[in-house]
Amino acid sequence: MNRLSESAIKQSDTLENRDHDTPEANNWMINRMRLEALRFNRLSDRALMEGRVSRLDYFLPYFTLGLKATFLYKRGVQNARDIVIKEHELFFDDLPEAFDGYRILHVTDLHLDSLPGLEDAVCDRLAALSFDVAVFTGDYRLHAYGDYPEHVLSPLRQIFQQAQAPDGVYATLGNHDTRQIAGHLEDMQARVLNNESVRIQRGNQHITFTGTDDPHSYFTLNAVESLQKSGGGFKVALIHSPELYQEAAQANYQLYLCGHTHAGQVCLPGGVPVLRNLSKGRHLMEGLWEHEGMVGYTSSGCGVSGVPVRFYSRGEITRFILRKK
């Protein structure tokens, strides 16, 4: 099914002529280059080659061997491929009437090279959905460094083609994404929001989407400033992790969409996560939440990281329908 509507084509034309020499773009690029250098220059070449950029990476091979020894590995991989569609109808007093019934598709944490073929399952589910805008909130691959090989870009291109929407596709970066992917995403007809805001118009009414850089590994004050300078009206924050929830609420956002946590990915019975990979907001691991009047949603994401298994959690694609009270 081809979703490339006339408005999406217009967005594509805008992207090709987009001015990347803005102060916001320059500030983001300078900060990203600095932070990526600080993060990876301290690692040895061997650690980078083996994909061991954190202490947890050294224990994952032993965990994998343990799963295979207990015959749970195959079951965990099957669980990881079993992506579900979740839909939430959200009601707001201050939603502009023109956006009553507005549909937002949210996809996050694809990690496409962790599970080859995952793109087919994702595209099958996208084909069954209709939506007005599509938003992606980061982590498109497994490794957190280096160039993007074709075996990551090709399935990603397939997904972004299926996700084309009347009001466009918007994307932010995660802690597994280096700055190089921004250009690839825009080649795929996505507008990358690096501490930037865009408005979607319906007549004389609008809603605002603000995307920030990843706050988990690449936090800067520019991300906070982009939330504060986004203006008034109904606003949606697109951020890789929930770790800017306080700042977004203080900036009067009505909706906060994020991922990063994988809902624990490997959980105890009842969905209790073994690990919570958050520096703050650890109580916002999964699903719907609220903070000071702002509604938030932490998606469990589509893909997996580390060991390609899930236990007592499921990957998801999420559709939100906005309603005016």
Side-chain angles (χ1 to χ4, degrees), residues 100-114:
D100 187 19
Y102 196 73
R103 300 161 301 176
I104 302 174
L105 173 77
H106 181 211
V107 180
T108 191
D109 296 279
L110 287 161
H111 297 288
L112 286 167
D113 45 342
S114 291

Side-chain angles (χ1 to χ4, degrees), residues 14 50 67 133 138 157 166 199 207 221 258 315:
T14 301
E50 295 176 352
L67 288 177
V133 68
R157 196 176 295 115
R199 283 186 174 183
I207 61 176
L221 288 177
C258 61

Side-chain angles (χ1 to χ4, degrees), residues 7 15 26 37 47 51 66 79-80 82 111 116 127 132 189 204 237 269 275 279 281 287 293:
S7 60
L15 284 173
N26 286 332
N79 292 342
D82 185 20
H111 297 288
D132 298 296
Q189 313 308 330
N204 61 354
L275 297 174
S279 59

Side-chain angles (χ1 to χ4, degrees), residues 31-32 34-35 195 213-215 218-225:
N31 284 325
R32 252 305 184 129
R34 177 177 59 84
L35 291 172
N195 305 326
D213 201 356
D214 164 57
Y218 298 106
F219 172 78
T220 67
L221 288 177
N222 295 120
V224 178
E225 291 171 359

Side-chain angles (χ1 to χ4, degrees), residues 107-260:
V107 180
T108 191
D109 296 279
L110 287 161
H111 297 288
L112 286 167
D113 45 342
S114 291
L115 277 175
L118 183 68
E119 67 275 11
D120 295 328
V122 173
C123 287
D124 284 346
R125 284 151 182 80
L126 293 181
L129 295 172
S130 57
F131 38 87
D132 298 296
V133 68
V135 299
F136 289 74
T137 53
D139 277 7
Y140 305 99
R141 64 167 181 188
L142 173 61
H143 293 302
Y145 55 88
D147 295 330
Y148 286 79
E150 188 58 28
H151 70 264
V152 173
L153 295 177
S154 180
L156 190 58
R157 196 176 295 115
Q158 182 180 336
I159 291 171
F160 270 67
Q161 183 177 5
Q162 188 64 59
Q164 293 299 320
D167 287 334
V169 180
Y170 298 94
T172 65
L173 305 190
N175 59 302
H176 283 243
D177 302 314
T178 62
R179 63 189 184 279
Q180 290 97 334
I181 199 173
H184 293 299
L185 295 176
E186 295 209 342
D187 288 342
M188 298 174 196
Q189 313 308 330
R191 169 87 181 265
V192 181
L193 299 177
N194 291 314
N195 305 326
E196 300 170 278
S197 296
V198 295
R199 283 186 174 183
I200 304 294
Q201 293 286 152
R202 289 286 187 275
N204 61 354
Q205 297 181 337
H206 71 271
I207 61 176
T208 298
F209 289 90
T210 301
T212 78
D213 201 356
D214 164 57
H216 183 74
S217 297
Y218 298 106
F219 172 78
T220 67
L221 288 177
N222 295 120
V224 178
E225 291 171 359
S226 69
L227 295 171
Q228 296 170 339
K229 296 178 179 179
S230 56
F234 190 93
K235 300 188 293 187
V236 182
L238 310 175
I239 303 175
H240 179 61
S241 85
E243 290 160 298
L244 287 181
Y245 73 101
Q246 293 170 317
E247 291 83 354
Q250 290 168 4
N252 299 314
Y253 278 77
Q254 284 80 5
L255 181 60
Y256 187 120
L257 302 181
C258 61
H260 176 68

Side-chain angles (χ1 to χ4, degrees), residues 90 92-97 99-101 207 234 322-324:
L90 305 177
F92 301 92
D93 290 323
D94 49 357
L95 180 71
E97 290 184 2
F99 289 88
D100 187 19
I207 61 176
F234 190 93
L322 307 185
R323 296 291 186 188
K324 185 172 180 63

